[in-house]
Amino acid sequence: MPEQTFFSRYLAGDHNNVWRELQALGEIVDQPLRADALAVARETMRRVKINLEIIIHRLSSTLAIWRKRDKV
């Protein structure tokens, strides 16, 4: 059975361990490990973007409700 990549482990939910292990490696310059680490970073940032968009939407909705209450 082939060893799992950091990216496949990250997608499977092993987020903390993957990041801990990547950080312990320091600067990664050799392929294919560099591509694997980059895939993890890109997926992390994709998820950050989604979560920030949700937060912004919810805060905007909450602020709109507060503004309506202030006008009454």
Side-chain angles (χ1 to χ4, degrees):
M1 176 181 216
E3 187 177 323
Q4 288 187 321
T5 64
F6 285 112
F7 185 61
S8 66
R9 289 176 47 212
Y10 183 86
L11 292 178
D14 195 16
H15 312 120
N16 290 334
N17 287 329
V18 165
W19 275 109
R20 200 172 295 120
E21 292 171 31
L22 286 173
Q23 288 173 335
L25 292 172
E27 184 178 1
I28 302 170
V29 294
D30 296 328
Q31 294 292 353
L33 185 55
R34 183 177 176 88
D36 190 24
L38 185 57
V40 171
R42 285 185 173 142
E43 177 62 17
T44 300
M45 292 302 105
R46 186 188 72 78
R47 293 176 185 202
V48 167
K49 180 180 184 265
I50 290 169
N51 288 327
L52 283 174
E53 289 170 348
I54 291 169
I55 291 168
I56 289 167
H57 175 74
R58 289 181 181 171
L59 283 174
S60 296
S61 298
T62 301
L63 288 173
I65 291 169
W66 287 342
R67 287 182 183 133
K68 286 179 185 178
R69 287 183 185 166
D70 288 344
K71 290 181 181 180
V72 174

